[in-house]
């Protein structure tokens, strides 16, 4: 227990990941209130919205209104998921100062999730990171399926390492190593995180 860190940093993704999976569309003012309540509860990192096409994710169709509507408390990161150039342009118009980009360690998952190979998604991310650096925007890089994939099963730690290296070399500020389908064991976490460290 002595090797445990003295504190952890939580990144709350409910306003984005949680609400985009709801069948109905949550009204904009309720989303803003939800985010403000999280801040009032002491959360200092919140994935507030996603600048995606409302055609594909109608629940995030009000992303600009939500981002502009939240009062930006000093010391809180209000992160916006940005999947592509169009999303990045929308984020820039809203003065977003923290974004998240995403790919996977599983080729099949990436193809089914975003219709891109891992390499294609990394090329897209490289452009987004470069634009972020030009605009002094903090970047979180998500890697999905780091422990298991619904299509490929167990994922090799080396596959995770390869994607992580690429993202770090691009200049992302932080990596998120995702147990997307909830199958990681403590030994797997030790193996993957140990390799990355």
């Amino acid at each position: 227990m002595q090797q445990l860190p003295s504190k952890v940093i939580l990144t709350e993704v409910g306003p984005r990941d949680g609400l985009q999976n709801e069948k109905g569309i949550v009204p904009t003012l309720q989303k803003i209130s939800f985010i403000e309540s999280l801040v009032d509860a002491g959360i200092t990192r919140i994935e507030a919205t996603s600048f995606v096409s409302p055609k594909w994710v109608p629940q995030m169709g009000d992303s600009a209104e939500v981002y502009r509507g939240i009062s930006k408390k000093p010391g809180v990161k209000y992160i916006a998921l940005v999947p592509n150039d169009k999303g990045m342009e929308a984020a820039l118009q809203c003065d977003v100062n923290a974004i998240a980009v995403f790919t996977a360690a599983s080729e099949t998952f990436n193809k089914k999730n975003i219709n891109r190979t891992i390499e294609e998604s990394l090329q897209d991310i490289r452009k987004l990171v470069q634009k972020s650096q030009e605009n002094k925007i903090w970047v979180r890089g998500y890697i999905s399926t780091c422990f298991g994939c619904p299509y490929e099963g167990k994922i090799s730690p080396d596959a995770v390492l390869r994607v992580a290296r690429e993202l770090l070399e691009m200049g992302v500020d932080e990596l998120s190593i995702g147990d997307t389908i909830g199958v990681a064991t403590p030994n797997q976490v030790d193996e993957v995180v140990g390799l990355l460290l």
Side-chain angles (χ1 to χ4, degrees):
M1 295 296 269
Q2 293 173 345
Q3 294 179 1
L4 293 175
S6 60
K7 68 176 186 171
V8 296
I9 298 170
L10 298 177
T11 300
E12 173 59 59
V13 298
R16 194 276 305 166
D17 193 40
L19 297 184
Q20 82 175 24
N21 289 308
E22 290 296 315
K23 288 183 179 150
I25 295 177
V26 175
T28 303
L29 290 178
Q30 282 186 320
K31 290 178 183 177
I32 293 168
S33 176
F34 178 28
I35 294 165
E36 302 286 354
S37 295
L38 290 168
V39 172
D40 290 345
I43 303 293
T44 58
R45 283 192 188 196
I46 301 168
E47 197 165 290
T49 193
S50 176
F51 288 93
V52 293
S53 168
K55 176 182 173 185
W56 299 111
V57 188
Q59 297 89 336
M60 295 289 112
D62 59 351
S63 55
E65 293 86 354
V66 169
Y67 201 88
R68 287 188 179 118
I70 51 181
S71 49
K72 313 299 185 302
K73 184 175 179 182
V76 177
K77 272 195 192 340
Y78 299 92
I79 305 164
L81 189 75
V82 175
N84 52 35
D85 287 334
K86 193 171 181 179
M88 186 66 177
E89 288 308 315
L92 288 170
Q93 289 174 12
C94 291
D95 294 322
V96 170
N97 60 14
I99 67 164
V101 295
F102 58 93
T103 188
S106 157
E107 200 71 62
T108 308
F109 183 87
N110 221 49
K111 282 292 276 183
K112 289 187 181 281
N113 189 40
I114 59 172
N115 198 29
R116 310 287 281 159
T117 65
I118 293 171
E119 189 51 44
E120 288 169 337
S121 67
L122 289 171
Q123 288 171 13
D124 295 340
I125 291 169
R126 190 169 283 108
K127 294 175 196 167
L128 297 173
V129 171
Q130 183 177 356
K131 191 163 272 193
S132 295
Q133 291 169 338
E134 290 166 3
N135 289 278
K136 297 181 176 26
I137 295 172
W138 182 90
V139 183
R140 181 174 218 227
Y142 284 111
I143 308 174
S144 300
T145 62
C146 292
F147 303 95
C149 168
Y151 311 105
E152 295 181 18
K154 188 174 186 240
I155 297 298
S156 160
D158 288 330
V160 179
L161 178 62
R162 184 183 73 76
V163 176
R165 269 199 179 122
E166 292 255 6
L167 290 171
L168 289 172
E169 285 170 7
M170 286 177 209
V172 300
D173 297 289
E174 178 176 279
L175 286 178
S176 172
I177 309 304
D179 182 19
T180 308
I181 59 171
V183 296
T185 65
N187 287 343
Q188 277 182 294
V189 172
D190 188 55
E191 180 183 22
V192 171
V193 174
L195 181 63
L196 295 180
L197 290 174

